[in-house]
Amino acid sequence: MSERQRIFVGDVQGCSEELDELIRRAHDRFGEDSEIWLVGDLVNRGPKNLEVLRQVRELVEAGRGRVVLGNHDLNLLRVAAGLRSMSWLDTFNDVLESPDFDDWFDWLRGLPLMLRSTLGGQDFAMVHAAVHPDWSLDELERRTRRAEARLGDGSRADAESFLGADPGTDPDLDTLRCVTSCRSVNAMGNWRSSPPDEMDPDFIPWHVEWSARNHGYGIVYGHWSLQGLHVAPWLRGLDTGCVHHGRGRRGLLTAWSPPPDEAEPFLSSSDHFWHIHARRAYYARRDAEPV
Ligand SMILES: [Mn+2]
């Protein structure tokens, strides 16, 4: 039995027109027999967050889409829960002010933090940001399932108290934050969301340390638009910053669509990437405002 065509998509962040173009392209090329897998950060910074949520939920409910939670999606929940105040860069008011907001809150907190499957006989995981270098695929699954249950299985009040816990003493919250926001790690196994910088050479990109452990599973991820498209053995980083167009960069929504019959796609150098150009400079106006 052949596998369905899967199309992995980077951070959308409210860029609904570009997502719509991508969905239509996937449909024209593969018909109904394809699945769109999104790395999360469906919302924030971009113009049409509620519309993106609707587009993605329609795909998921039709059995043609899968999605994991990103840090911006969680930030929306945190703002709604009173755990975080809106920043001037946040644009998800359209979701917060929606009459269906309670339903969106519950839909988002029920999303997975990690999806696990195989491609061309290779095991892989999709997460928003990163996998801790020490974690095997089983360890990643065990940890994320526990964190997902804490966020999604109980009442909304349970979810809010989990999100408001101290990640220093709650390992499930640390897992949630690591897979949704990590960019760098040090040799002690500490992680942080900021990228490596010259001032602190102890911290290096998470995937450098992860690759050194030869785990032998693939990771599809997003979250790091400044790094851009990242193609390396076992790694496919897809955030090319569609929403950052106009900020001295060319914004692209990137997708990876390896043919289902390709052997060892995570070790292949074949190019199956799609790039949808950002419609306009989403940051042009905002850059004029003080930070
Ligand atoms: Mn992110």
Side-chain angles (χ1 to χ4, degrees):
M1 195 186 78
S2 69
E3 291 173 15
R4 293 175 96 183
Q5 176 69 49
R6 274 173 282 195
I7 300 133
F8 299 92
V9 182
D11 305 39
V12 177
Q13 296 193 244
C15 295
S16 68
E17 293 171 46
E18 293 83 354
L19 177 61
D20 191 54
E21 183 180 334
L22 192 144
I23 292 169
R24 269 188 279 156
R25 195 191 286 195
H27 191 264
D28 291 348
R29 180 100 176 256
F30 304 114
E32 297 290 325
D33 199 26
S34 59
E35 282 180 6
I36 294 181
W37 288 44
L38 299 110
V39 299
D41 276 2
L42 300 180
V43 299
N44 213 3
R45 306 289 188 261
K48 294 181 181 174
N49 304 285
L50 189 58
E51 181 58 25
V52 169
L53 291 180
R54 289 190 186 122
Q55 287 167 300
V56 172
R57 189 166 178 174
E58 190 181 316
L59 286 172
V60 170
E61 291 179 353
R64 296 186 51 231
R66 310 285 300 275
V67 60
V68 292
L69 265 180
N71 59 306
H72 281 294
D73 309 315
L74 284 162
N75 280 342
L76 169 61
L77 302 184
R78 291 171 57 83
V79 166
L83 298 167
R84 180 179 178 275
S85 41
M86 289 276 281
S87 123
W88 69 273
L89 285 166
D90 291 338
T91 63
F92 41 50
N93 255 321
D94 56 343
V95 186
L96 288 167
E97 289 165 5
S98 155
D100 302 325
F101 179 73
D102 290 345
D103 184 49
W104 286 115
F105 189 102
D106 284 337
W107 185 74
L108 284 166
R109 74 184 176 95
L111 293 178
L113 294 167
M114 185 279 276
L115 289 170
R116 174 179 183 169
S117 186
T118 59
L119 259 185
Q122 296 182 312
D123 290 317
F124 77 96
M126 181 171 79
V127 293
H128 177 63
V131 173
H132 191 283
D134 292 343
W135 299 347
S136 67
L137 187 52
D138 286 340
E139 174 78 1
L140 169 66
E141 181 164 44
R142 194 173 62 77
R143 285 174 176 269
T144 49
R145 296 299 171 249
R146 238 177 17 217
E148 285 164 8
R150 295 276 302 280
L151 186 64
D153 286 1
S155 67
R156 176 165 169 174
D158 292 336
E160 291 178 348
S161 98
F162 173 50
L163 290 174
D166 174 3
T169 57
D170 188 326
D172 297 337
L173 188 60
D174 187 64
T175 292
L176 175 142
R177 289 164 58 105
C178 181
V179 297
T180 56
S181 64
C182 168
R183 291 191 183 91
S184 56
V185 296
N186 68 6
M188 308 291 291
N190 299 313
W191 68 267
R192 62 187 194 187
S193 59
S194 50
D197 66 66
E198 289 163 6
M199 303 298 288
D200 192 351
D202 288 348
F203 279 82
I204 61 172
W206 68 269
H207 49 72
V208 172
E209 196 69 32
W210 179 88
S211 295
R213 317 290 173 94
N214 293 309
H215 285 293
Y217 62 92
I219 300 178
V220 178
Y221 73 101
H223 186 60
W224 200 343
S225 64
L226 277 174
Q227 174 184 253
L229 180 65
H230 178 219
V231 181
W234 300 108
L235 292 160
R236 297 292 182 272
L238 302 179
D239 184 7
T240 48
C242 191
V243 79
H244 293 287
H245 188 63
R247 216 182 183 190
R249 276 182 283 162
R250 180 165 163 258
L252 297 171
L253 183 62
T254 292
W256 179 46
S257 61
D261 58 357
E262 183 176 42
E264 304 195 326
F266 284 98
L267 297 175
S268 161
S269 58
S270 59
D271 180 354
H272 296 287
F273 293 96
W274 298 356
H275 300 290
I276 309 280
H277 289 260
R279 290 283 193 275
R280 57 185 175 277
Y282 296 110
Y283 262 90
R285 185 184 55 83
R286 294 181 166 273
D287 275 356
E289 297 173 36
V291 177

